[in-house]
Amino acid sequence: MQDLMFYLFAALTLICGMLVVANPFSRNPVTSAMFLVLTIASMAGLFVLLHAFFLAAVQVLVYAGAVIVLFLFVIMLLNVKEEERRKIKKVGLVTGIIAVIAISSIFLKVFTLSNSSLSAQLPAPTLEGGTAPLGKILFTAYLLPFEMLSVLLLVAMVGVILLSKRNLK
Amino acid sequence: MHVGLEHYLLVSALLFCIGLLGVIARRNLLIIYMSLELMLNAANLAFVAFSRFNNNLNGQVMVFFIITVAAAEVAVGLALIVALYRRRQTAHVEDLTTMKL
């Protein structure tokens, strides 16, 4: 049952991710943003299968709830029309595809290098990523990075306000 | 076949490649940003999978940090895109060639 769910969510993640990047039916950025929501949601499903319940909730709240809404607001603000197809430069396309193929072959090589199954050598997973253990480690071992993160968010907020002023001096 | 660590890593690698393809092949700044999010998410998935199969919670804390930094990055990046659009009336990378020699 869990394996079936994994294949379902993995297929959904990859198909929707592909549709974010290259949608054959629509060039509208709004469509891409909507498929990004689907990708994020199915990825939250994968997180649940990995017993990372808190992160699954955070993923849906922060990404699907905040980041995508921000994207949609900006698309609405910019009033981006359906972009016309432009000619992509041959050199750029060829080098880009070579780069992607190179990276994917490196990844695939890693999988084929380990001829014995990776997870067969590991003990059975028992970790539960609930809120309580994660909160405990976040406020003890990772207290300083956590506080620095709040400063980072403050800096980002100030920066965004400054950047969106009408006349930058 | 039982689903193990390598299945999750394969999904993560493929998702990363899809995001990379989007960053390289697409010309719309907003879509490039969405592809960047896909790549960050692929890294998150690898972190969570490693954390689960190594019985170590540190990976999940790292994912928590990554999600927060990604949110800050998106906010600043989109503000930059809006500022750029106000000045240049375009969100298309090929129209932004001021730095080109």
Side-chain angles (χ1 to χ4, degrees):
Chain A
M1 183 61 198
Q2 282 214 348
D3 290 4
L4 205 68
M5 294 294 273
F6 167 78
Y7 287 118
L8 179 72
F9 281 129
L12 210 59
T13 307
L14 290 177
I15 291 170
C16 294
M18 202 62 220
L19 285 173
V20 172
V21 168
N23 193 334
F25 306 111
S26 152
R27 309 273 295 171
N28 199 331
V30 179
T31 327
S32 288
M34 286 308 170
F35 277 113
L36 190 55
V37 175
L38 268 178
T39 315
I40 301 293
S42 42
M43 193 163 264
L46 285 180
F47 282 4
V48 169
L49 287 180
L50 285 167
H51 294 245
F53 305 115
F54 175 70
L55 284 180
V58 166
Q59 176 94 347
V60 171
L61 283 178
V62 174
Y63 269 110
V67 170
I68 304 291
V69 170
L70 204 60
F71 267 113
L72 288 176
F73 259 105
V74 169
I75 292 170
M76 187 191 73
L77 264 179
L78 298 189
N79 195 16
V80 183
K81 300 280 176 343
E82 193 129 342
E83 66 175 296
E84 73 273 35
R85 280 190 175 275
R86 300 200 192 187
K87 265 205 191 120
I88 299 179
K89 281 185 194 130
K90 278 257 168 59
V91 188
L93 193 68
V94 168
T95 46
I97 286 176
I98 287 173
V100 172
I101 288 174
I103 296 261
S104 8
S105 54
I106 288 172
F107 281 146
L108 288 178
K109 184 72 185 164
V110 172
F111 287 111
T112 49
L113 265 181
S114 57
N115 33 19
S116 58
S117 175
L118 272 171
S119 48
Q121 305 155 6
L122 296 169
T126 51
L127 184 82
E128 297 288 329
T131 315
L134 209 59
K136 201 170 276 174
I137 196 171
L138 204 58
F139 285 106
T140 51
Y142 287 94
L143 185 60
L144 183 66
F146 183 77
E147 297 295 339
M148 278 160 70
L149 215 56
S150 60
V151 178
L152 176 80
L153 284 175
L154 179 71
V155 170
M157 200 167 72
V158 172
V160 167
I161 291 170
L162 192 73
L163 277 172
S164 44
K165 275 178 123 176
R166 209 154 253 294
N167 40 355
L168 270 171
K169 285 263 163 59
Chain B
M1 190 176 168
H2 193 67
V3 170
L5 175 58
E6 58 268 22
H7 292 78
Y8 286 99
L9 290 185
L10 191 63
V11 173
S12 160
L14 285 175
L15 198 66
F16 187 89
C17 291
I18 289 173
L20 185 66
L21 187 72
V23 171
I24 288 174
R26 292 303 296 261
R27 290 287 173 269
N28 190 323
L29 268 177
L30 284 164
I31 303 216
I32 289 179
Y33 246 78
M34 291 179 203
S35 308
L36 274 179
E37 291 306 306
L38 278 185
M39 288 163 82
L40 278 170
N41 266 302
N44 281 351
L45 184 60
F47 263 123
V48 174
F50 275 127
S51 148
R52 164 83 174 151
F53 286 95
N54 282 318
N55 290 325
N56 188 339
L57 208 54
N58 291 339
Q60 297 200 7
V61 177
M62 194 57 78
V63 171
F64 180 78
F65 288 153
I66 291 176
I67 288 178
T68 321
V69 172
E73 172 240 336
V74 164
V76 175
L78 287 178
L80 278 173
I81 290 179
V82 170
L84 194 72
Y85 195 84
R86 267 206 209 115
R87 198 165 268 233
R88 294 293 201 69
Q89 307 299 318
T90 179
H92 209 271
V93 283
E94 279 175 358
D95 298 334
L96 309 170
T97 52
T98 328
M99 300 264 282
K100 211 172 180 179
L101 285 174

